[in-house]
Amino acid sequence: MAFFFLPLFSILILPLTNAGYWPPSPGYYPSSKFRSMGFYQGYRNLWGPAHQSVDNNGINIWLDRTSGSGFKSVKPFRSGYFGTSIKLQPGYTAGVITAFYLSNNEAHPGYHDEVDIEFLGTTFGKPYTLQTNVYIRGSGDGKIIGREMKFHLWFNPTQDFHHYAILWTPREIIFLVDDLPIRRYQRKSVATFPLRPMWVYGSIWDASSWATEDGKYKVDYRYQPFVGKFTNFKASGCSAYARAWCQPVSASPFRSGGLTTQQSRAMQWVQSHYLIYDYCKDYKRDHSLTPECWH
């Protein structure tokens, strides 16, 4: 009798064990609401043209000893949903940054806004870190005030494509992974929220000085090239040239924005299991510079 009981017991507890490590359904899937487009429908090369290749609707960009690469949207936006599916390089990728982000750095050098999804490379056997960040008017001028929240992921981002997105409206910024909200940054004051038009960017580059364990591990070009694969681009919203009555899109069924109760619970689940750094909880930070942490 015991011979048959052990396999049955294992079958019963296996789903319960795994259930703690896979996110609950958000119940709403904003990526399905926006049409995919080919790379050249919305983007152009920005730098490193010899280090990128466009195939079908996607693009591969890579870093080697000579250069990295980047691309940029053809138009700026003042709000919208911006997503892409990304597959990351496996193996040793310490010091390498693969990024998808919004910025107006070229329009406001030294005094720009930025909203980042950045994948921080890693060493053998350790997971990638997904870093989200928000800069408001001043990044790069010697008074850099980052608003970093860092996550590990509940899947291996090198094995397949996963969809990463930024939803930006005049009221909030929501970061999503496979339609699951992982972070919501609300507008609490004009001083702590980006409102000027931004372009959409993707890039891969050498950030050895800080990317992996605060610069402890550098890029090792014996493992080059380091490749970032992007496809399934989505960019929908109000461009900087749209009429004043253009309505911002939403990450939820509510036209007014925000998240449903189910989305909020899913986000809380991710943050309780996979959030590894929150700038608001870093006692070494000067939180007089980030008043949203205590409002």
Side-chain angles (χ1 to χ4, degrees), residues 101-179:
Y101 61 103
L102 311 178
S103 178
N104 49 34
N105 181 52
E106 294 171 275
H108 307 283
Y111 195 65
H112 76 281
D113 309 297
E114 190 168 309
V115 180
D116 297 330
I117 291 176
E118 297 175 306
F119 297 95
L120 312 186
T122 189
T123 56
F124 290 117
K126 292 188 177 181
Y128 269 89
T129 296
L130 186 157
Q131 174 170 280
T132 63
N133 209 345
V134 180
Y135 293 109
I136 297 101
R137 293 187 302 279
S139 168
D141 66 352
K143 299 178 182 177
I144 298 175
I145 303 171
R147 292 166 166 82
E148 304 94 341
M149 288 180 69
K150 300 179 184 180
F151 302 82
H152 285 156
L153 294 165
W154 50 97
F155 53 84
N156 184 341
T158 72
Q159 290 183 343
D160 205 350
F161 284 93
H162 291 267
H163 199 71
Y164 306 91
I166 298 167
L167 186 288
W168 171 48
T169 77
R171 299 178 58 180
E172 63 189 357
I173 297 165
I174 298 173
F175 298 87
L176 303 108
V177 176
D178 289 338
D179 286 309

Side-chain angles (χ1 to χ4, degrees), residues 67-89:
S67 179
S69 186
F71 57 85
K72 177 184 178 181
S73 63
V74 295
K75 59 185 177 182
F77 294 84
R78 65 173 188 261
S79 68
Y81 174 96
F82 312 101
T84 183
S85 295
I86 302 173
K87 185 178 181 182
L88 299 173
Q89 173 92 1

Side-chain angles (χ1 to χ4, degrees), residues 56-68:
N56 297 322
N57 292 324
I59 184 171
N60 297 338
I61 57 177
W62 60 89
L63 167 71
D64 62 22
R65 201 179 296 272
T66 62
S67 179

